[in-house]
Amino acid sequence: MPDDRAPVLLRGVSYAYGEGELRRPVLREVDLAVGPGEIVLLTGPSGSGKTTLLTLIGALRAMQEGSAVVLGQELNGAGEAQRIALRRRIGFIFQHHNLLGFLTARQNVAMALELDPMLDERTRLARAGAMLAAVGLAEHADRSPEKLSGGQRQRVAVARALAGSPGLVLADEPTAALDRASGGEVVRLLRDLAKSRGVPILMVTHDPRILDIADRIVAMEDGRIVDASAGAAD
């Protein structure tokens, strides 16, 4: 039986785009639990519903059917204010790092801390610098994104996602734009940092090179989970 205290607990989640004759189901009765500190990879062909599921868990879109309890918050019926509050407790990492080019690496990471009214600018920048040091970029903290390699930019994105001590990390194809060495470096770093903090990671990926970091690999097809095998990390 799934643990009701799991950071992510989905029961019977279904979702469709469009209405009437244009209605297209993309998720069908999905059940999924992600435990504390667990790394779960979502795999499957394009159009299988992986990214839609990730955006529902991340409170980036409203629920339609089923139950999704994320970090203790039931999302079915949750209002926009509740979803915004939940998003502030989640670290997001995307394929395209979405760094702001007019800010330094340190300033990009510090942005993730601006939602905490208890932190002044000096403290935010100090914490951002410490997080960049943790991802091996201490010497690059004051460089703009254009002066960093693709792997370095994605490491800044990892630092930004973890800077606010999130209760959950959601990653959508974080290695897709990286070469083998950079991609492996980023996911190992993400695994080590998240594991040391007990933070669960749910990652959408098509990248077979990173499957060995998973505690569990969840395969999706046509909006359903068709396999949930233990990963090599076991």
Side-chain angles (χ1 to χ4, degrees):
M1 293 290 291
D3 186 345
D4 288 346
R5 296 167 297 177
V8 176
L9 183 59
L10 311 182
R11 292 189 174 105
V13 172
S14 297
Y15 194 87
Y17 293 112
E19 297 180 356
E21 294 182 357
L22 298 177
R23 188 176 185 274
R24 182 173 65 87
V26 290
L27 294 174
R28 309 166 193 266
E29 296 289 324
V30 172
D31 295 336
L32 178 66
V34 180
E38 188 177 23
I39 299 176
V40 177
L41 302 188
L42 283 176
T43 67
S46 296
S48 59
K50 305 183 301 299
T51 294
T52 298
L53 186 62
L54 203 72
T55 59
L56 286 172
I57 293 169
L60 296 172
R61 66 176 78 241
M63 288 277 295
Q64 291 178 349
E65 299 177 45
S67 170
V69 180
V70 179
L71 301 180
Q73 170 70 58
E74 171 61 71
L75 289 175
N76 194 340
E80 180 64 15
Q82 290 171 302
R83 296 204 305 274
I84 289 172
L86 179 60
R87 290 199 293 267
R88 291 174 176 171
R89 300 169 60 200
I90 297 174
F92 294 93
I93 305 170
F94 302 99
Q95 175 179 346
H96 302 291
H97 43 74
N98 296 332
L99 302 180
L100 296 178
F102 59 88
L103 298 179
T104 65
R106 188 195 312 270
Q107 291 168 332
N108 268 283
V109 175
M111 282 187 64
L113 300 170
E114 289 185 359
L115 296 173
D116 187 342
M118 303 300 292
L119 301 179
D120 59 25
E121 183 177 6
R122 174 179 288 185
T123 302
R124 289 196 302 269
L125 289 171
R127 288 195 183 180
M131 199 68 237
L132 286 169
V135 301
L137 292 177
E139 296 180 358
H140 302 283
D142 295 315
R143 293 188 179 183
S144 62
E146 67 178 11
K147 295 181 180 178
L148 300 174
S149 68
Q152 289 171 335
R153 288 194 291 269
Q154 196 62 302
R155 279 194 274 163
V156 175
V158 170
R160 181 181 58 189
L162 294 174
S165 300
L168 171 68
V169 172
L170 301 178
D172 192 3
E173 298 282 5
T175 64
L178 303 178
D179 61 29
R180 182 181 183 88
S182 295
E185 184 179 72
V186 165
V187 296
R188 285 192 298 273
L189 175 69
L190 184 58
R191 175 197 61 195
D192 293 346
L193 290 174
K195 284 289 188 181
S196 68
R197 291 165 171 76
V199 179
I201 301 173
L202 184 59
M203 183 187 305
V204 168
T205 185
H206 286 100
D207 190 346
R209 303 170 301 178
I210 67 172
L211 298 184
D212 63 347
I213 75 158
D215 294 308
R216 192 153 41 101
I217 299 169
V218 175
M220 295 189 66
E221 187 174 325
D222 194 27
R224 295 183 173 90
I225 290 177
V226 294
D227 187 34
S229 304
D234 283 356

